[in-house]
Amino acid sequence: MNHEAQNPASALVLFSGGQDSATCLAWALERYARVETIGFAYGQLHAVEMTARQRVRSAMAVVKPEWAERLSEDHVVDLAGYGAVAESALTADRAIEITESGLPTTFVPGRNLVFLTVASALAWRRGIATLVGGMCETDYSGYPDCRRDTIDAQERALQLGLDTPMEIETPLMLLSKAETWALADQLGGEALVQMIREETHTCYRGDREHRHDWGYGCGTCPACDLRARGWQEWRGQGA
Ligand code: ZN
């Protein structure tokens, strides 16, 4: 496929099927006439994440009729080779804990750098000049590649390296998890909130057996803990 003329009305969302990227997808569907999604298979232990992607995409199209019209192709890129190099608690059978360096074992080195680079290559080919990602520096585990400083530097590198306009939008960058729920409510009302609660997958352990008021998950891993605390903060205790 040839490099197409850049279309400012289209965006490519890095989409994992989790709460954050689902909220980013809704955010993009409100703003762009055409929205494509990209997901990465990098040896996640949990196939549940890949099935959540399709479920959430289908459910998203039901929230608002105009979103159904705007939601366009999905792309899944196999990055198993990268996953093998960058082995972490997310890609290998390893305990979730904090290492001596202060980073959790769920840290996958270079993950967002690789994802954004691969996404930009696809965007370039498809004439898309905007990438949207759920990176967040406020309320997360301190992953250094989630910081806006890192994203700004990479945005610049991509613009130079591709010699084309390439923007990286990070609508959740400064939001707490409670504010991310509030943003979903603002974008798609209760229908979107309920869909994210029921269909998105966040749990590091891939648990979809245990249902909580904030959705499915083991309830004890750091991702479940963040999601639960954000929900409780937003809805209020016992809501
Ligand atoms: Zn969990």
Side-chain angles (χ1 to χ4, degrees):
M1 199 182 300
N2 294 321
H3 172 38
E4 294 167 23
Q6 302 270 321
N7 179 357
S10 59
L12 176 64
V13 179
L14 280 73
F15 181 61
S16 70
Q19 177 190 354
D20 290 349
S21 66
T23 307
C24 284
L25 178 55
W27 182 90
L29 288 167
E30 277 291 279
R31 277 167 185 74
Y32 299 92
R34 189 159 156 276
V35 178
E36 300 189 13
T37 51
I38 184 169
F40 304 98
Y42 59 104
Q44 296 99 318
L45 282 176
H46 316 301
V48 70
E49 184 168 310
M50 293 318 267
T51 55
R53 294 182 75 257
Q54 297 313 321
R55 210 172 49 229
V56 173
R57 268 180 55 97
S58 306
M60 194 67 82
V62 180
V63 174
K64 287 190 184 180
E66 61 267 37
W67 290 2
E69 285 163 32
R70 295 171 189 166
L71 184 60
S72 187
E73 280 101 320
D74 181 42
H75 312 267
V76 175
V77 180
D78 183 353
L79 293 178
Y82 160 71
V85 170
E87 217 179 75
S88 83
L90 293 185
T91 55
D93 189 11
R94 193 170 155 197
I96 298 171
E97 58 195 19
I98 302 294
T99 64
E100 271 176 28
S101 67
L103 283 167
T105 51
T106 48
F107 176 61
V108 185
R111 179 168 56 167
N112 285 326
L113 304 177
V114 171
F115 285 5
L116 286 165
T117 302
V118 174
S120 75
L122 181 79
W124 184 89
R125 215 184 59 184
R126 297 187 62 77
I128 298 171
T130 305
L131 306 177
V132 182
M135 300 82 181
C136 169
E137 64 180 27
T138 25
D139 200 10
Y140 212 49
S141 317
Y143 297 153
D145 57 346
C146 286
R147 291 181 302 211
R148 189 62 222 190
D149 275 358
T150 306
I151 304 294
D152 283 340
Q154 187 164 13
E155 186 178 64
R156 182 77 184 125
L158 294 175
Q159 288 163 356
L160 288 170
L162 294 167
D163 195 22
T164 192
M166 189 61 69
E167 244 190 326
I168 306 175
E169 294 280 8
T170 52
L172 311 186
M173 185 54 75
L174 300 176
L175 302 186
S176 68
K177 288 289 159 193
E179 289 168 330
T180 298
W181 283 112
L183 175 61
D185 190 27
Q186 197 186 314
L187 291 166
E190 191 61 16
L192 181 61
V193 169
Q194 289 309 325
M195 189 279 275
I196 288 175
R197 194 167 94 143
E198 291 300 320
E199 308 295 353
T200 66
H201 176 77
T202 303
C203 176
Y204 283 152
R205 296 197 171 94
D207 185 317
R208 272 199 72 81
E209 278 169 46
H210 299 93
R211 192 181 181 287
H212 313 265
D213 52 359
W214 42 267
Y216 290 90
C218 70
T220 56
C221 76
C224 281
D225 188 47
L226 264 178
R227 179 161 163 155
R229 280 192 285 129
W231 174 265
Q232 278 147 16
E233 194 190 317
W234 178 59
R235 276 279 158 119
Q237 295 288 342

